[in-house]
PDB file of all heavy atoms in Angstrom:
ATOM      1  N   PRO A  85      60.040  39.287 -39.151  1.00 90.00           N
ATOM      2  CA  PRO A  85      60.192  38.037 -38.388  1.00 90.00           C
ATOM      3  C   PRO A  85      60.784  36.918 -39.246  1.00 90.00           C
ATOM      4  O   PRO A  85      60.534  36.833 -40.449  1.00 90.00           O
ATOM      5  CB  PRO A  85      58.759  37.712 -37.962  1.00 90.00           C
ATOM      6  CG  PRO A  85      58.046  39.031 -37.990  1.00 90.00           C
ATOM      7  CD  PRO A  85      58.663  39.798 -39.120  1.00 90.00           C
ATOM      8  N   ALA A  86      61.569  36.070 -38.601  1.00 90.00           N
ATOM      9  CA  ALA A  86      62.263  34.987 -39.303  1.00 90.00           C
ATOM     10  C   ALA A  86      61.638  33.644 -38.968  1.00 90.00           C
ATOM     11  O   ALA A  86      61.429  33.319 -37.795  1.00 90.00           O
ATOM     12  CB  ALA A  86      63.746  34.976 -38.923  1.00 90.00           C
ATOM     13  N   ILE A  87      61.309  32.863 -39.983  1.00 91.00           N
ATOM     14  CA  ILE A  87      60.753  31.530 -39.791  1.00 91.00           C
ATOM     15  C   ILE A  87      61.827  30.619 -39.213  1.00 91.00           C
ATOM     16  O   ILE A  87      62.932  30.526 -39.766  1.00 91.00           O
ATOM     17  CB  ILE A  87      60.218  30.972 -41.121  1.00 91.00           C
ATOM     18  CG1 ILE A  87      59.074  31.846 -41.630  1.00 91.00           C
ATOM     19  CG2 ILE A  87      59.770  29.526 -40.971  1.00 91.00           C
ATOM     20  CD1 ILE A  87      58.582  31.467 -43.014  1.00 91.00           C
ATOM     21  N   SER A  88      61.518  29.955 -38.106  1.00 89.00           N
ATOM     22  CA  SER A  88      62.516  29.151 -37.404  1.00 89.00           C
ATOM     23  C   SER A  88      62.417  27.664 -37.700  1.00 89.00           C
ATOM     24  O   SER A  88      63.181  26.876 -37.157  1.00 89.00           O
ATOM     25  CB  SER A  88      62.397  29.380 -35.889  1.00 89.00           C
ATOM     26  OG  SER A  88      62.670  30.725 -35.577  1.00 89.00           O
ATOM     27  N   GLN A  89      61.471  27.253 -38.503  1.00 86.00           N
ATOM     28  CA  GLN A  89      61.354  25.860 -38.908  1.00 86.00           C
ATOM     29  C   GLN A  89      60.819  25.855 -40.330  1.00 86.00           C
ATOM     30  O   GLN A  89      60.226  26.843 -40.784  1.00 86.00           O
ATOM     31  CB  GLN A  89      60.375  25.101 -38.001  1.00 86.00           C
ATOM     32  CG  GLN A  89      58.903  25.412 -38.313  1.00 86.00           C
ATOM     33  CD  GLN A  89      57.924  25.003 -37.266  1.00 86.00           C
ATOM     34  OE1 GLN A  89      57.748  25.712 -36.309  1.00 86.00           O
ATOM     35  NE2 GLN A  89      57.277  23.873 -37.458  1.00 86.00           N
ATOM     36  N   HIS A  90      61.027  24.776 -41.024  1.00 85.00           N
ATOM     37  CA  HIS A  90      60.548  24.705 -42.406  1.00 85.00           C
ATOM     38  C   HIS A  90      59.505  23.616 -42.537  1.00 85.00           C
ATOM     39  O   HIS A  90      59.718  22.482 -42.106  1.00 85.00           O
ATOM     40  CB  HIS A  90      61.703  24.426 -43.365  1.00 85.00           C
ATOM     41  CG  HIS A  90      61.260  24.249 -44.786  1.00 85.00           C
ATOM     42  ND1 HIS A  90      60.773  25.290 -45.535  1.00 85.00           N
ATOM     43  CD2 HIS A  90      61.206  23.149 -45.580  1.00 85.00           C
ATOM     44  CE1 HIS A  90      60.446  24.849 -46.738  1.00 85.00           C
ATOM     45  NE2 HIS A  90      60.699  23.551 -46.784  1.00 85.00           N
ATOM     46  N   LEU A  91      58.376  23.986 -43.106  1.00 89.00           N
ATOM     47  CA  LEU A  91      57.349  23.013 -43.463  1.00 89.00           C
ATOM     48  C   LEU A  91      57.197  23.002 -44.971  1.00 89.00           C
ATOM     49  O   LEU A  91      57.102  24.069 -45.592  1.00 89.00           O
ATOM     50  CB  LEU A  91      56.000  23.382 -42.824  1.00 89.00           C
ATOM     51  CG  LEU A  91      55.794  23.099 -41.339  1.00 89.00           C
ATOM     52  CD1 LEU A  91      54.352  23.425 -40.950  1.00 89.00           C
ATOM     53  CD2 LEU A  91      56.108  21.662 -41.001  1.00 89.00           C
ATOM     54  N   GLU A  92      57.177  21.815 -45.561  1.00 91.00           N
ATOM     55  CA  GLU A  92      56.945  21.727 -46.994  1.00 91.00           C
ATOM     56  C   GLU A  92      55.592  22.351 -47.340  1.00 91.00           C
ATOM     57  O   GLU A  92      54.698  22.421 -46.507  1.00 91.00           O
ATOM     58  CB  GLU A  92      56.982  20.264 -47.445  1.00 91.00           C
ATOM     59  CG  GLU A  92      58.333  19.581 -47.256  1.00 91.00           C
ATOM     60  CD  GLU A  92      58.411  18.824 -45.939  1.00 91.00           C
ATOM     61  OE1 GLU A  92      57.720  19.234 -44.976  1.00 91.00           O
ATOM     62  OE2 GLU A  92      59.149  17.832 -45.873  1.00 91.00           O
ATOM     63  N   ALA A  93      55.463  22.787 -48.569  1.00 92.00           N
ATOM     64  CA  ALA A  93      54.240  23.466 -48.986  1.00 92.00           C
ATOM     65  C   ALA A  93      53.000  22.617 -48.751  1.00 92.00           C
ATOM     66  O   ALA A  93      51.944  23.129 -48.384  1.00 92.00           O
ATOM     67  CB  ALA A  93      54.342  23.851 -50.460  1.00 92.00           C
ATOM     68  N   SER A  94      53.113  21.308 -48.937  1.00 93.00           N
ATOM     69  CA  SER A  94      51.949  20.433 -48.825  1.00 93.00           C
ATOM     70  C   SER A  94      51.509  20.195 -47.383  1.00 93.00           C
ATOM     71  O   SER A  94      50.402  19.693 -47.146  1.00 93.00           O
ATOM     72  CB  SER A  94      52.237  19.084 -49.498  1.00 93.00           C
ATOM     73  OG  SER A  94      53.396  18.492 -48.939  1.00 93.00           O
ATOM     74  N   VAL A  95      52.359  20.539 -46.406  1.00 95.00           N
ATOM     75  CA  VAL A  95      52.061  20.280 -44.995  1.00 95.00           C
ATOM     76  C   VAL A  95      51.436  21.522 -44.366  1.00 95.00           C
ATOM     77  O   VAL A  95      51.993  22.619 -44.441  1.00 95.00           O
ATOM     78  CB  VAL A  95      53.323  19.892 -44.209  1.00 95.00           C
ATOM     79  CG1 VAL A  95      52.978  19.585 -42.756  1.00 95.00           C
ATOM     80  CG2 VAL A  95      54.001  18.696 -44.860  1.00 95.00           C
ATOM     81  N   ALA A  96      50.283  21.352 -43.741  1.00 95.00           N
ATOM     82  CA  ALA A  96      49.616  22.459 -43.043  1.00 95.00           C
ATOM     83  C   ALA A  96      49.996  22.434 -41.570  1.00 95.00           C
ATOM     84  O   ALA A  96      50.492  21.434 -41.056  1.00 95.00           O
ATOM     85  CB  ALA A  96      48.099  22.330 -43.190  1.00 95.00           C
ATOM     86  N   GLY A  97      49.755  23.554 -40.896  1.00 95.00           N
ATOM     87  CA  GLY A  97      49.934  23.549 -39.451  1.00 95.00           C
ATOM     88  C   GLY A  97      50.728  24.705 -38.916  1.00 95.00           C
ATOM     89  O   GLY A  97      50.871  25.753 -39.556  1.00 95.00           O
ATOM     90  N   LEU A  98      51.275  24.527 -37.707  1.00 96.00           N
ATOM     91  CA  LEU A  98      51.902  25.596 -36.951  1.00 96.00           C
ATOM     92  C   LEU A  98      53.374  25.776 -37.314  1.00 96.00           C
ATOM     93  O   LEU A  98      54.098  24.810 -37.512  1.00 96.00           O
ATOM     94  CB  LEU A  98      51.779  25.318 -35.452  1.00 96.00           C
ATOM     95  CG  LEU A  98      50.339  25.178 -34.928  1.00 96.00           C
ATOM     96  CD1 LEU A  98      50.338  25.012 -33.417  1.00 96.00           C
ATOM     97  CD2 LEU A  98      49.500  26.389 -35.322  1.00 96.00           C
ATOM     98  N   VAL A  99      53.765  27.046 -37.373  1.00 95.00           N
ATOM     99  CA  VAL A  99      55.145  27.417 -37.683  1.00 95.00           C
ATOM    100  C   VAL A  99      55.612  28.410 -36.611  1.00 95.00           C
ATOM    101  O   VAL A  99      54.915  29.377 -36.311  1.00 95.00           O
ATOM    102  CB  VAL A  99      55.263  28.052 -39.080  1.00 95.00           C
ATOM    103  CG1 VAL A  99      56.688  28.534 -39.341  1.00 95.00           C
ATOM    104  CG2 VAL A  99      54.839  27.057 -40.158  1.00 95.00           C
ATOM    105  N   VAL A 100      56.798  28.165 -36.064  1.00 95.00           N
ATOM    106  CA  VAL A 100      57.368  29.049 -35.049  1.00 95.00           C
ATOM    107  C   VAL A 100      58.193  30.132 -35.751  1.00 95.00           C
ATOM    108  O   VAL A 100      58.990  29.847 -36.649  1.00 95.00           O
ATOM    109  CB  VAL A 100      58.247  28.269 -34.062  1.00 95.00           C
ATOM    110  CG1 VAL A 100      58.820  29.206 -33.002  1.00 95.00           C
ATOM    111  CG2 VAL A 100      57.441  27.163 -33.399  1.00 95.00           C
ATOM    112  N   VAL A 101      57.995  31.370 -35.308  1.00 94.00           N
ATOM    113  CA  VAL A 101      58.638  32.529 -35.933  1.00 94.00           C
ATOM    114  C   VAL A 101      59.417  33.296 -34.874  1.00 94.00           C
ATOM    115  O   VAL A 101      58.888  33.578 -33.793  1.00 94.00           O
ATOM    116  CB  VAL A 101      57.584  33.443 -36.585  1.00 94.00           C
ATOM    117  CG1 VAL A 101      58.227  34.709 -37.134  1.00 94.00           C
ATOM    118  CG2 VAL A 101      56.836  32.706 -37.681  1.00 94.00           C
ATOM    119  N   ALA A 102      60.658  33.640 -35.169  1.00 93.00           N
ATOM    120  CA  ALA A 102      61.488  34.430 -34.259  1.00 93.00           C
ATOM    121  C   ALA A 102      61.302  35.916 -34.562  1.00 93.00           C
ATOM    122  O   ALA A 102      61.338  36.341 -35.717  1.00 93.00           O
ATOM    123  CB  ALA A 102      62.955  34.041 -34.392  1.00 93.00           C
ATOM    124  N   LYS A 103      61.142  36.718 -33.500  1.00 94.00           N
ATOM    125  CA  LYS A 103      60.976  38.159 -33.668  1.00 94.00           C
ATOM    126  C   LYS A 103      62.233  38.935 -33.294  1.00 94.00           C
ATOM    127  O   LYS A 103      62.316  40.140 -33.525  1.00 94.00           O
ATOM    128  CB  LYS A 103      59.794  38.639 -32.825  1.00 94.00           C
ATOM    129  CG  LYS A 103      58.485  37.962 -33.218  1.00 94.00           C
ATOM    130  CD  LYS A 103      57.364  38.241 -32.252  1.00 94.00           C
ATOM    131  CE  LYS A 103      56.848  39.653 -32.355  1.00 94.00           C
ATOM    132  NZ  LYS A 103      55.611  39.851 -31.564  1.00 94.00           N
ATOM    133  N   THR A 104      63.201  38.243 -32.704  1.00 92.00           N
ATOM    134  CA  THR A 104      64.473  38.861 -32.357  1.00 92.00           C
ATOM    135  C   THR A 104      65.614  37.958 -32.799  1.00 92.00           C
ATOM    136  O   THR A 104      65.421  36.754 -33.028  1.00 92.00           O
ATOM    137  CB  THR A 104      64.592  39.098 -30.836  1.00 92.00           C
ATOM    138  OG1 THR A 104      64.664  37.828 -30.166  1.00 92.00           O
ATOM    139  CG2 THR A 104      63.409  39.897 -30.308  1.00 92.00           C
ATOM    140  N   ALA A 105      66.804  38.532 -32.905  1.00 90.00           N
ATOM    141  CA  ALA A 105      67.965  37.748 -33.319  1.00 90.00           C
ATOM    142  C   ALA A 105      68.320  36.691 -32.286  1.00 90.00           C
ATOM    143  O   ALA A 105      68.664  35.563 -32.631  1.00 90.00           O
ATOM    144  CB  ALA A 105      69.152  38.684 -33.556  1.00 90.00           C
ATOM    145  N   ARG A 106      68.234  37.056 -31.004  1.00 91.00           N
ATOM    146  CA  ARG A 106      68.558  36.084 -29.961  1.00 91.00           C
ATOM    147  C   ARG A 106      67.562  34.925 -29.959  1.00 91.00           C
ATOM    148  O   ARG A 106      67.929  33.777 -29.719  1.00 91.00           O
ATOM    149  CB  ARG A 106      68.597  36.784 -28.600  1.00 91.00           C
ATOM    150  CG  ARG A 106      69.781  37.724 -28.421  1.00 91.00           C
ATOM    151  CD  ARG A 106      69.812  38.362 -27.042  1.00 91.00           C
ATOM    152  NE  ARG A 106      70.967  39.235 -26.869  1.00 91.00           N
ATOM    153  CZ  ARG A 106      70.985  40.520 -27.212  1.00 91.00           C
ATOM    154  NH1 ARG A 106      69.904  41.068 -27.744  1.00 91.00           N
ATOM    155  NH2 ARG A 106      72.070  41.247 -27.030  1.00 91.00           N
TER     156      ARG A 106
END
Side-chain angles (χ1 to χ4, degrees):
I87 297 174
S88 297
Q89 76 195 82
H90 176 69
L91 283 185
E92 296 94 332
S94 56
V95 182
L98 301 184
V99 175
V100 181
V101 175
K103 300 170 73 171
T104 67
R106 290 182 179 87

